[in-house]
Amino acid sequence: MLIALNLYGISSDICQHRARVGVTIASVPRVSWKVIVPLNAAGSPFRLVDHDLHLGQQRIGTVQRIDADEAVGGYFRDGGRAATLNPNARSRCVGCAFCPNTLEAAADPRFSEERELTELLAAMVEQHPRRNLNELREVTVSTGCFEREDAAVAHLVGLRAALGSQGIGARIGFLTSVIQSDAAFADLAARVAPFVLRLTAECFTRRDLLLKASKARLQRVDMPDLLRRARQAGLGTSFTYIVGLDPLTEMRAGVAALGEHVTEFPNFQVYQAHNSIMAGLRTPGAEQLEFYLQARASIEQILGGRGLRPQAWECYRPLWYFTFAGERLVRV
């Protein structure tokens, strides 16, 4: 049901095409999930009536909170133990064909100096649940606006210095496809680690059509070796992938190839179409829930034996919530 909610969005009287929504399912009332979905999805089977979420005529849950999904400088996850930063003006990114970020309001200035990063962290202290950034275990840089490897590495070195100045030893994660050289990997290992490279693979087919140039330049055949070299340099490795853009056969082959070289469970997202153009980018069959259930089962089969498991807080549009391959992920 939660996968379907991500796929179809919510029909409501709220004129927002994308929002962060807190949802509790009636059958499991003690567990709340945060999803990012369009609230103006007229054809969705899910309807929001006041604070009640309906599927057809049946009330299936409650929406506790709705926030506009603005591009901001930073926010917390995992109860304040993880933070996501957008330090390089995510809202200015030209974006990939499937990305909804360019639809959003902008409140994320470009941070280019260590002083500005320190100021961002100081501001985030006031937002932290306990006003204590020393609780941070993971800081993820999610912006895709670094077009050059040297600029990305320099920023990460500055971020480590800014974190260190406040006594924060959290692991830094970076979503990127521009960091590719052995020299950069060695620099990150020496000056930024603990660090995890989260390769923005996104899709394996139609890359020239779907991705912006800085991502499309990385060929599918080169991705496994890139992750292998990063891991060999002592870095953590993972990748991001959007389910619904590739046929299942291509997805399986690509995930299997990359899965041999990751130390962290990859970030798999349900593809969301926010308009008719984006809907046309889906691979045939990906407008149906069954496609994503098949994808989930395939990924469990491919990656399950590696001992890696998805973390509930890491993704707002995941394929897994309560279980992975029959194993419980959260207490209910």
Side-chain angles (χ1 to χ4, degrees), residues 273-289:
H274 294 268
N275 53 46
S276 59
I277 295 175
M278 295 173 72
L281 299 177
R282 288 189 181 114
T283 193
E287 72 282 0
Q288 300 295 326
L289 176 61

Side-chain angles (χ1 to χ4, degrees), residues 12-264:
S12 75
D13 295 329
I14 302 173
C15 297
Q16 282 184 289
H17 51 74
R18 193 171 182 233
R20 292 193 294 269
V21 180
V23 177
T24 298
I25 302 302
S27 58
V28 195
R30 290 187 294 175
V31 182
S32 180
W33 300 100
K34 184 174 287 187
V35 298
I36 300 179
V37 295
L39 294 179
N40 60 351
S44 173
F46 296 96
R47 293 184 301 110
L48 182 61
V49 181
D50 294 327
H51 290 284
D52 292 331
L53 185 63
H54 292 258
L55 179 57
Q57 299 301 313
Q58 182 180 359
R59 177 187 173 276
I60 60 167
T62 303
V63 170
Q64 297 98 358
R65 178 168 179 165
I66 296 174
D67 296 306
D69 187 42
E70 297 177 330
V72 296
Y75 56 92
F76 294 102
R77 293 184 176 185
D78 194 23
R81 291 176 289 273
T84 297
L85 304 182
N86 297 309
N88 203 37
R90 183 188 76 173
S91 60
R92 300 180 202 173
C93 181
V94 296
C96 301
F98 51 78
C99 182
N101 285 342
T102 53
L103 302 174
E104 307 311 320
D108 59 335
R110 184 183 296 271
F111 295 94
S112 57
E113 299 177 1
E114 182 182 330
R115 176 182 57 80
E116 293 172 318
L117 286 169
T118 301
E119 291 173 356
L120 171 61
L121 294 173
M124 290 185 69
V125 170
E126 302 304 314
Q127 305 171 33
H128 191 272
R130 290 161 296 279
R131 297 192 176 186
N132 182 8
L133 296 189
N134 289 315
E135 294 182 8
L136 288 175
R137 299 181 302 189
E138 183 95 8
V139 174
T140 300
V141 179
S142 69
T143 180
C145 302
F146 292 97
E147 301 294 333
R148 303 190 329 273
E149 181 181 79
D150 60 341
V153 172
H155 182 84
L156 293 168
V157 171
L159 175 59
R160 174 56 71 196
L163 292 173
S165 69
Q166 299 194 32
I168 302 170
R171 183 174 70 171
I172 294 175
F174 188 38
L175 279 70
T176 184
S177 57
V178 301
I179 299 179
Q180 302 180 15
S181 72
D182 289 342
F185 296 153
D187 207 8
L188 292 171
R191 305 171 67 189
V192 181
F195 178 83
V196 56
L197 181 75
R198 300 187 183 276
L199 179 66
T200 49
E202 317 295 36
C203 59
F204 300 125
T205 63
R206 302 181 292 162
R207 290 179 60 80
D208 289 343
L209 171 66
L210 297 174
L211 302 177
K212 64 179 183 177
S214 62
K215 288 185 180 180
R217 280 194 293 269
L218 178 61
Q219 299 296 309
R220 170 183 175 175
V221 296
D222 297 325
M223 293 180 189
D225 182 65
L226 187 156
L227 290 174
R228 179 192 63 78
R229 290 185 289 108
R231 186 178 179 184
Q232 192 172 44
L235 305 179
T237 53
S238 186
F239 64 91
T240 64
Y241 181 80
I242 301 171
V243 179
L245 295 174
D246 295 325
L248 289 173
T249 53
E250 299 291 341
M251 182 209 75
R252 294 185 187 106
V255 170
L258 297 187
E260 296 181 12
H261 306 288
V262 298
T263 63
E264 310 295 323

